[in-house]
Amino acid sequence: MATVLYWLFTIINYGLYIYMMAMVVYVLMSWFPGAWQSRFGQWLGGIVNPFLNLFHIIPPIFGIDFSPLIAFFVLDLVRSGLGTIFSAIMMRVG
C-alpha cells in the first residue's frame, strides 16, 4: 500500500513540476516576437492558458502582468500541500 501511494505521489508531483516548467517556457516565449504563433507556442498555449486564464482577473501593474507569477505560486503551494498530506498519510500507514 505504501509503495502504491509513494508512486502515485511521485507521478503527481513530477506532473505538477513539468506543468510549472511548461508555464515558465510559455511565459518566456512572450519575449520573442511571433513565438506564441508558432506551432509549438500554440500547442503549449493550449495546455497552459486554461490555468493561466484563471489568474487574468488581476490587472497588470505598470504594464507588467503578474498573473503567471501568482499562478506559479499557487501550483507550488499545491505541490507543497500534497507533500504534507503524503507525509501525514505515510505516518499513519507506517
Side-chain angles (χ1 to χ4, degrees):
M1 171 86 172
T3 306
V4 173
L5 288 175
Y6 172 77
W7 282 107
L8 182 64
F9 169 74
T10 302
I11 290 169
I12 292 171
N13 191 35
Y14 279 122
L16 288 173
Y17 177 76
I18 290 169
Y19 194 80
M20 289 169 70
M21 291 302 109
M23 281 179 25
V24 168
V25 169
Y26 186 73
V27 169
L28 291 178
M29 286 175 72
S30 69
W31 293 357
F32 302 101
W36 283 347
Q37 285 74 31
S38 68
R39 182 177 288 182
F40 177 71
Q42 290 177 354
W43 175 78
L44 194 58
I47 294 171
V48 173
N49 271 335
F51 184 69
L52 286 178
N53 286 339
L54 296 173
F55 300 95
H56 279 295
I57 58 171
I58 302 162
I61 301 171
F62 299 113
I64 299 174
D65 186 13
F66 287 101
S67 58
L69 184 64
I70 295 169
F72 195 79
F73 179 70
V74 167
L75 275 182
D76 194 46
L77 282 176
V78 168
R79 284 184 68 214
S80 297
L82 284 175
T84 303
I85 291 169
F86 174 73
S87 296
I89 290 172
M90 291 308 291
M91 290 175 75
R92 288 184 182 247
V93 169

